[in-house]
Amino acid sequence: MNVARRMVELLEEEGIDHIFGIPGEQIMPMYEALSNSNITHILTRHEQAAAHAADAYTRTSDSIGVCMATASPGALNMVMATAAAFKDSVSMLILTGDNDLAKRDGNFFQSIPLRDVFEKVTYENYSPLNGSEAVHALKTALYKLKNNPKGPIHINLSRDVLLSEDFVEFDLCYLCEHDVSSIEDAQKLISSSQKPLFVLGAGAISEAENIKMLAEMYRIPVTTTYNARGIISEDNPINLGMVGIRATPRAKKAIDECDCIIALGSIASERTFPEIDEDKFIHVNIDKDVLKGKYQIQGSVGEVIASLEFHKVDWLDGLLEIDNAVEVEGVDDELKPQAAIKRILNRFDNEIIANDAGSHTTFSTLLYHAKYPNHFLFPGATAPMGYGLPAAIGAAIATGEKVISINGDGGIQMNLQELATLKENNLDVIVFILNNSEYGIIRQWEEQIYGMDSYQTDLKNPDFIKLASSYGIDAVQITTLEDLEFLLKKDLKGPLVVEIIVDRQNIPLPK
């Protein structure tokens, strides 16, 4: 048995069911092994799309998203999507092929120092020199992704290493890192607090039920970051809504008035906390590198909250008196993007929404009402165009459920070729394209921030209906709000493309 076949066995043993990727010369030993396995390979049409799909697969399932590419041309195409996963702490596995060891880092055909390239956009990055190191790297990566999830892990695999039959396996002697030395001081702050506030990040999703029980039992209000929306339903009054630059009125008031912030599983970026009062900030995260504030606790959210004691407080009712509605103008105007998005979100209020980047994303964020975690997908820390369609594919394969992809006419063209992947796998994905024939946010920035006329933002778009049809996908164009409302009353099933011609519209800026 060679290394590639053993690595595929390890993936099977871990319960990996799908891998997204494109075969190529240097990664071919993995594909040979994969062809004789129980793992389903999803052939994308671009490696960036494979990595975005693996990202969404991780977000929407209990499994590890895996993507695979060959040497420099394929691997480099994955870097941007890997960076998006890194910034959002999405724990997925990236496997790349490379030239034989003797030609891996020299000036040879398709040789690029891939380990160096991926170093800044992954939490772990391996480039094994022999079969034993390769097998150990994969076993370690799978363990860390499952038990100590911080973000993407990359393994760069030379072709001759994959073909080697000379390897020895070692048992893992790895314990998850933790440092709870600040927990006693944090407990003192909680015990003295009269206005404690939970701020939940994506790292707390696995403990949703326990946190909900604590919050309701002790009447401690909850807010969420962008990626944790729905961890507790926004129908539940205990959840005040999202914090940060797009904070709801209740969440903003709570952040301003609380005397103790208990941030669980959050990176605590500047978009979530423009300012941090360190003396009242308890930060719990498995990743020590993101911890902030006076009370830094490195450990799993579940273990930490189980060791803390809380008491009942009575400031929630006052917060609930605040009107929490976020006003968005134009939601009933013909035919503005926010009007279309409102109706799409109302129609598909239980489905996973995969958002692309663009002006429509702001309206989706403001109008979306989160009931479940990981149902509103968007890599907000980097906001790359081209995420929406491959992410919808990854989520649909992970869940087997209907997924809604909302895109602008600019963003959809970044990975438009994935309509072929959508059709080939016959996925129940409805792709909405809001077409205003421009890069809207860029045009708005040009006009409002730089005081210039629109420059290089107008788009001469293809016929999206014909394009979709050329892939064998049903498609329809909508030009009126009445027609959209009529369409949404139907029992829609994907693959389906819906192009909506919308007005040019500025996004509302944060106040």
Side-chain angles (χ1 to χ4, degrees):
M1 177 184 293
N2 63 28
V3 169
R5 291 184 181 181
R6 179 58 185 141
M7 293 182 79
V8 169
E9 278 189 352
L10 288 171
L11 293 170
E12 287 182 306
E13 291 169 8
E14 182 57 39
I16 302 300
D17 293 323
H18 298 91
I19 293 178
F20 302 87
I22 299 176
E25 178 183 349
Q26 294 87 344
I27 198 68
M28 196 60 69
M30 285 294 290
Y31 275 87
E32 189 276 331
L34 199 60
S35 69
N36 296 300
S37 76
N38 294 320
I39 298 173
T40 300
H41 181 265
I42 305 299
L43 178 65
T44 60
R45 299 320 193 253
H46 194 283
E47 291 87 357
Q48 178 188 333
H52 280 323
D55 168 310
Y57 191 98
T58 297
R59 293 179 194 247
T60 55
S61 74
D62 294 327
S63 186
I64 298 166
V66 183
C67 55
M68 195 155 64
T70 192
S72 56
L76 292 174
N77 280 342
M78 284 185 166
V79 173
M80 197 286 298
T82 301
F86 173 76
K87 292 285 285 185
D88 275 18
S89 300
V90 178
S91 296
M92 66 187 216
L93 178 64
I94 303 102
L95 302 174
T96 59
D98 209 338
N99 285 334
D100 291 352
L101 289 171
K103 296 183 177 181
R104 188 170 68 178
D105 294 323
N107 187 20
F108 298 99
F109 177 68
Q110 294 191 342
S111 282
I112 292 288
L114 292 175
R115 188 183 189 282
D116 295 342
V117 171
F118 279 88
E119 181 67 26
K120 295 296 185 180
V121 294
T122 54
Y123 274 98
E124 298 285 350
N125 186 23
Y126 301 100
S127 193
L129 298 175
N130 55 57
S132 299
E133 287 186 7
V135 171
H136 188 72
L138 181 58
K139 293 174 74 172
T140 303
L142 292 172
Y143 181 89
K144 289 184 176 182
L145 289 167
K146 185 175 181 180
N147 297 285
N148 198 24
K150 298 180 182 181
I153 294 179
H154 169 240
I155 306 177
N156 188 48
L157 299 158
S158 292
R159 190 181 67 92
D160 53 350
V161 169
L162 289 171
L163 289 172
S164 172
E165 296 182 1
D166 181 17
F167 64 92
V168 178
E169 294 197 43
F170 301 96
D171 291 333
L172 287 181
C173 297
Y174 181 85
L175 297 177
C176 294
E177 304 170 52
H178 68 279
D179 179 2
V180 296
S181 56
S182 296
I183 201 164
E184 290 187 8
D185 290 335
Q187 180 64 71
K188 292 177 182 177
L189 177 61
I190 292 171
S191 297
S192 64
S193 171
Q194 297 303 309
K195 294 183 177 181
L197 176 68
F198 283 124
V199 178
L200 308 182
I205 287 175
S206 62
E207 296 298 321
E209 287 302 315
N210 290 330
I211 296 170
K212 178 174 177 287
M213 178 187 69
L214 287 172
E216 291 178 339
M217 180 183 300
Y218 297 112
R219 303 285 288 168
I220 301 174
V222 168
T223 62
T224 70
T225 64
Y226 188 98
N227 285 325
R229 292 187 69 182
I231 185 171
I232 295 174
S233 172
E234 291 176 359
D235 290 333
N236 189 328
I238 204 77
N239 185 353
L240 306 180
M242 188 170 64
V243 293
I245 61 172
R246 294 287 182 183
T248 62
R250 289 175 184 170
K252 186 178 186 303
K253 184 73 169 178
I255 287 288
D256 290 342
E257 295 191 356
C258 69
D259 58 14
C260 172
I261 292 176
I262 308 162
L264 302 176
S266 164
I267 293 177
S269 73
E270 81 287 352
R271 293 176 70 85
T272 301
F273 296 102
E275 296 180 1
I276 293 178
D277 184 343
E278 296 198 357
D279 290 335
K280 66 179 184 181
F281 198 79
I282 300 170
H283 196 184
V284 181
N285 200 297
I286 204 165
D287 182 5
K288 65 182 178 182
D289 294 332
V290 305
L291 292 173
K292 298 176 182 177
K294 183 176 181 180
Y295 307 94
Q296 300 182 7
I297 303 173
Q298 183 191 10
S300 73
V301 169
E303 292 176 356
V304 172
I305 61 173
S307 62
L308 291 170
E309 295 183 0
F310 301 90
H311 61 278
K312 195 167 186 176
V313 293
D314 61 1
W315 76 303
L316 176 62
D317 290 341
L319 294 170
L320 295 181
E321 292 176 0
I322 300 169
D323 182 2
N324 213 33
V326 178
E327 294 297 327
V328 179
E329 296 180 356
V331 292
D332 293 314
D333 292 352
E334 179 88 37
L335 182 59
K336 292 185 177 179
Q338 58 266 46
I341 288 168
K342 176 185 176 182
R343 284 151 181 81
I344 293 169
L345 295 178
N346 287 346
R347 169 63 176 81
F348 299 107
D349 59 342
N350 289 316
E351 277 74 25
I352 293 172
I353 307 293
N355 266 294
D356 207 285
S359 56
H360 68 278
T361 309
T362 296
F363 294 117
S364 295
T365 299
L366 295 173
L367 293 168
Y368 181 70
H369 190 74
K371 297 180 181 179
Y372 314 103
N374 292 325
H375 271 54
F376 191 71
L377 308 181
F378 181 64
T382 50
M385 288 194 287
Y387 178 82
L389 177 54
I393 290 169
I397 289 172
T399 64
E401 298 175 0
K402 182 188 295 293
V403 177
I404 308 304
S405 178
I406 304 179
N407 311 266
D409 52 322
I412 189 66
Q413 294 184 77
M414 300 288 181
N415 269 312
L416 184 64
Q417 74 284 339
E418 297 311 314
L419 289 176
T421 310
L422 178 61
K423 175 62 177 178
E424 184 174 304
N425 292 276
N426 194 32
L427 300 173
D428 191 3
V429 173
I430 302 177
V431 181
F432 288 96
I433 303 172
L434 277 67
N435 184 355
N436 59 3
S437 297
E438 68 167 351
Y439 291 127
I441 288 183
I442 301 173
R443 188 264 309 152
Q444 183 177 350
W445 274 198
E446 288 177 346
E447 294 174 351
Q448 295 187 352
I449 297 177
Y450 291 92
M452 57 188 284
D453 293 333
S454 173
Y455 178 70
Q456 292 295 296
T457 57
D458 290 339
L459 297 177
K460 297 185 184 301
N461 289 320
D463 186 322
F464 289 113
I465 304 304
K466 289 182 178 179
L467 260 175
S469 298
S470 73
Y471 285 105
I473 296 175
D474 290 339
V476 60
Q477 185 184 80
I478 298 295
T479 58
T480 69
L481 201 55
E482 181 182 5
D483 286 347
L484 177 61
E485 291 172 343
F486 179 77
L487 177 72
L488 293 176
K489 291 177 182 178
K490 297 183 179 181
D491 182 18
L492 301 177
K493 183 174 177 57
L496 174 67
V497 170
V498 180
E499 178 190 15
I500 307 174
I501 307 300
V502 295
D503 294 339
R504 297 187 174 192
Q505 182 73 24
N506 288 348
I507 64 169
L509 300 179
K511 296 179 180 180

